[in-house]
Amino acid sequence: MLGFICFGIKGNRADGCLVARNRYWYKWFCLLSRIFICGIYASISLDYIKRLDNPHLVILSWIRLVCSLICACVILLMQFWFGQQVLCVVNSYFRLFRKVNALPGCQDQGFGGKRELSLLIFKLICLLNELFCELPMFFTDLNLRLFATLLVDIYISVNSTMIGHMCFVGYLSVGALYARVNRYVRQQLRRQLRSLEQHDGYQASRRQLRAAGYRLDECLGIYDEIQRVGIAFHRLIELPLCLILLFAFLSMTLVSYFIMLNRFRDATLWLLVVRLFVDVVLLTLAIHGASSSSRVIRRLSLENCYVSERNDWDMKLEMFLSRLNFYEFRVRPFGLFEISNELILVFLSGLVTYLTYILQYGMQTNQI
């Protein structure tokens, strides 16, 4: 409805598998509607900024306006300039999940486990709060201008944060894929390798080694493809990821300043700050899960070791163990910083320092 995802997902007629396809007519609708609404939002925001007399509010409002317009431009850029790459990445995710589902013992598994389900539930709560937090204002005494302002503000805010939601789903999918393949290697593949160990002193047959080698190659191929898809998604989304983090942090700063001006009495603003903070935490948790699941592979290699007198099998096993040590998924936008839970602590410390300074200044000048 908001025109953020402009491609369609349908089942393939041949095998029923999900495939993402372009909807060219809808892209032009997204372009025209987003440009029109962004123009209205810019004019309303400029009129609002002109009536402000607080310099801190003026600066923060300008930053929010610029960040919102940049996020809208980034969405248009993703749809029109990188639209085909987005489709390739989405279809690569579908293909990867089909490959993982084809592994023995993985047919009945869903998207992820309890961790993924918990994160998705919290994300759904945040989405509902984001969509309906301004709903009570529609039942007050509204004029036409205020009604249009609320609709435009909801559209711009939700569209800006949709970049963060897309990053959350993408990195959560990478973590879910790693976790499922790790579970298969830990349970099914390890059991198959242990079955090669003959207790009566005889070596495993060539047929058994060939079957185990096929599974090793299959797991290596899946790990390699997860790494490629994860890197492709990260390179495609690293600029929007930086922008949405900046937008979220600045929005929290702006709303926190409004809370101070209202003498900490507005519960709605407190709820908005909590929701913005939870959105950032969920994103970092999804990224942390993908990174930690990729590092688990190195510990799995110590559990799967069978040595025989056949050189070809030993070379295959050695290649499998050595290749696993190269798989580590890390999220570093442009190589500037690594997104982790420490990033939240750094931001919170800076936010508390800034708000403490503003609070002291406001108390001295009797503004707060």
Side-chain angles (χ1 to χ4, degrees), residues 77-138:
L77 191 66
M78 294 284 291
Q79 290 177 342
F80 284 87
W81 192 262
F82 298 100
Q84 196 61 37
Q85 297 182 31
V86 172
L87 279 181
C88 291
V89 171
V90 173
N91 287 322
S92 298
Y93 273 115
F94 288 146
R95 185 173 59 253
L96 263 175
F97 274 102
R98 287 197 296 269
K99 283 187 176 181
V100 175
N101 286 335
L103 292 174
C106 297
Q107 290 83 1
D108 297 332
Q109 296 180 6
F111 175 78
K114 296 180 180 179
R115 180 181 181 276
E116 287 77 13
L117 178 62
S118 301
L119 293 179
L120 286 172
I121 289 175
F122 279 110
K123 175 58 71 173
L124 178 61
I125 295 173
C126 292
L127 279 170
L128 293 176
N129 177 263
E130 182 180 348
L131 289 172
F132 300 111
C133 63
E134 299 187 34
L135 189 62
M137 299 185 65
F138 286 97

Side-chain angles (χ1 to χ4, degrees), residues 168-180:
F168 167 79
V169 173
Y171 291 121
L172 189 67
S173 301
V174 173
L177 286 167
Y178 271 125
R180 291 178 63 178

Side-chain angles (χ1 to χ4, degrees), residues 87-252:
L87 279 181
C88 291
V89 171
V90 173
N91 287 322
S92 298
Y93 273 115
F94 288 146
R95 185 173 59 253
L96 263 175
F97 274 102
R98 287 197 296 269
K99 283 187 176 181
V100 175
N101 286 335
L103 292 174
C106 297
Q107 290 83 1
D108 297 332
Q109 296 180 6
F111 175 78
K114 296 180 180 179
R115 180 181 181 276
E116 287 77 13
L117 178 62
S118 301
L119 293 179
L120 286 172
I121 289 175
F122 279 110
K123 175 58 71 173
L124 178 61
I125 295 173
C126 292
L127 279 170
L128 293 176
N129 177 263
E130 182 180 348
L131 289 172
F132 300 111
C133 63
E134 299 187 34
L135 189 62
M137 299 185 65
F138 286 97
F139 297 99
T140 59
D141 188 14
L142 290 179
N143 53 37
L144 184 60
R145 178 181 176 83
L146 186 54
F147 181 79
T149 302
L150 284 175
L151 287 180
V152 169
D153 186 71
I154 292 174
Y155 179 91
I156 293 296
S157 300
V158 173
N159 261 270
S160 300
T161 55
M162 283 301 293
I163 298 176
H165 303 328
M166 183 178 70
C167 295
F168 167 79
V169 173
Y171 291 121
L172 189 67
S173 301
V174 173
L177 286 167
Y178 271 125
R180 291 178 63 178
V181 182
N182 291 342
R183 191 180 304 114
Y184 167 77
V185 173
R186 187 184 296 113
Q187 298 175 1
Q188 303 292 331
L189 185 61
R190 182 175 64 175
R191 186 182 302 115
Q192 186 174 6
L193 293 178
R194 282 183 175 179
S195 66
L196 299 177
E197 301 175 0
Q198 304 292 332
H199 299 288
D200 52 4
Y202 293 99
Q203 295 290 328
S205 64
R206 185 177 295 274
R207 181 180 178 182
Q208 290 176 313
L209 293 179
R210 190 183 301 113
Y214 173 77
R215 291 303 176 190
L216 290 177
D217 292 337
E218 190 176 23
C219 288
L220 272 180
I222 292 177
Y223 277 130
D224 188 41
E225 192 167 355
I226 294 175
Q227 184 79 1
R228 288 200 306 268
V229 172
I231 292 176
F233 175 77
H234 173 66
R235 289 176 178 174
L236 188 65
I237 209 68
E238 58 182 346
L239 176 60
L241 178 62
C242 292
L243 290 176
I244 195 58
L245 286 175
L246 178 63
F247 181 80
F249 290 153
L250 290 175
S251 297
M252 276 190 276

